[in-house]
Amino acid sequence: MHTEFQPLTPQRWADFETLFGPRGACAGCWCMFWKLTRKEFEAGKGEPNQFAQKAQVALGNIPGLLAYVDGVPAGWIAVEPRSAYPGLARSRVLAPLDDLPVWSVPCFFVDKD
């Protein structure tokens, strides 16, 4: 079994869609939960969240890494500077403790197979 990790780029978008499937991983999230207000997220469940994430990737942003097992997309980890996730700053529990620039890992997703 060969495992590798690659950044999500426009060239790998189809792999991201394959991994997340028609439901966008978890109820149409498309890994946008921490990037939007709750109202925006709820209104965008499904295709709008998918298109929002795709637009970010098309701009050259790398929102995370895809894991491949024997060349097949098998997992996802969202990892970016904390500033990319404004929802973390609004959280009572997850709000920043200081002003230091840090990276956050708010999501892991693994294919059920």
Side-chain angles (χ1 to χ4, degrees), residues 6-46:
Q6 297 292 333
L8 176 56
T9 61
Q11 296 77 18
R12 294 187 180 277
W13 181 259
D15 292 344
F16 187 64
E17 287 181 318
T18 297
L19 177 64
F20 274 35
R23 292 184 167 205
C26 299
C29 181
W30 290 97
C31 218
M32 293 297 293
F33 184 79
W34 294 108
K35 293 183 175 194
L36 304 170
T37 65
R38 291 306 145 251
K39 184 178 180 180
E40 292 168 332
F41 175 78
E42 290 296 327
K45 279 187 176 182

Side-chain angles (χ1 to χ4, degrees), residues 39-109:
K39 184 178 180 180
E40 292 168 332
F41 175 78
E42 290 296 327
K45 279 187 176 182
E47 276 190 353
N49 284 344
Q50 178 185 9
F51 294 149
Q53 186 70 276
K54 187 174 186 177
Q56 289 299 306
V57 173
L59 289 172
N61 297 325
I62 298 174
L65 302 171
L66 288 165
Y68 293 83
V69 176
D70 295 330
V72 177
W76 164 256
I77 181 172
V79 55
E80 291 184 88
R82 184 182 184 95
S83 59
Y85 305 111
L88 292 176
R90 291 188 299 270
S91 168
R92 286 185 222 162
V93 176
L94 302 172
L97 300 175
D98 52 41
D99 292 332
L100 295 175
V102 297
W103 286 62
S104 294
V105 179
C107 178
F108 288 96
F109 181 78

